[in-house]
Amino acid sequence: MDITIAEAFLPHDDPDQALAFYRDTLGFEVRNDVGYNGLHWITVGPPGQPGTSIVLYPPAATPGLTDQERRTVEEMMAKGTFTMINLATPDLDGLFERLAAADVEIVQEPIEQPYGRRDCAVRDPAGNMIRINQLR
């Protein structure tokens, strides 16, 4: 069996802020940018890794959600508890300094975790938790 993870989905509530964070601050490249009926889907990914992408999507476009569920998603996004993703870099301290200089919301500075990982945590403009691991 040969399976890869091609795309992960993270919600956004402002496509301009999402682009500023993922493209300008993290350095991801934009692979697709689609607008439809006032909604916006943006696919980004790390340069040199064309098989791995994040699709930033408007949660209001999720099929089958009730109005109550949409409100719950919006409330959880505002609290920063809706979703998260783990990224990894060989230069955790350098990336953390760049994120801090860009006034990104810092949740946790780089630390050694008791489970054998060194990482930090920030939130993107939509409130998604972004944990970043040190590659060893």
Side-chain angles (χ1 to χ4, degrees):
M1 184 177 343
D2 186 12
I3 299 175
T4 60
I5 297 174
E7 297 170 335
F9 283 68
L10 292 177
H12 75 76
D13 53 6
D14 183 318
D16 293 331
Q17 287 185 345
L19 267 176
F21 178 78
Y22 286 95
R23 181 191 60 204
D24 304 337
T25 304
L26 285 181
F28 284 1
E29 61 188 18
V30 176
R31 298 183 177 152
N32 201 3
D33 191 339
V34 177
Y36 179 75
N37 280 345
L39 301 174
H40 218 104
W41 291 257
I42 306 163
T43 304
V44 296
Q49 298 178 41
T52 304
S53 298
I54 298 171
V55 179
L56 305 165
Y57 74 99
T62 302
L65 282 184
T66 66
D67 290 341
Q68 176 58 44
E69 290 167 331
R70 280 190 181 87
R71 282 191 296 275
T72 299
V73 167
E74 290 169 1
E75 290 169 5
M76 291 179 72
M77 286 175 64
K79 287 176 52 181
T81 58
F82 184 62
T83 190
M84 67 179 290
I85 192 167
N86 283 11
L87 305 176
T89 179
D91 183 14
L92 180 63
D93 293 315
L95 178 56
F96 181 78
E97 287 177 20
R98 193 168 79 214
L99 293 169
D103 288 329
V104 169
E105 181 183 348
I106 305 297
V107 177
Q108 171 209 300
E109 295 187 6
I111 61 169
E112 289 289 337
Q113 297 289 356
Y115 42 86
R117 181 178 283 179
R118 184 168 187 270
D119 68 2
C120 71
V122 300
R123 292 196 196 284
D124 76 4
N128 299 304
M129 176 75 78
I130 313 292
R131 297 201 72 87
I132 305 169
N133 301 326
Q134 172 76 51
L135 284 176
R136 298 179 190 207

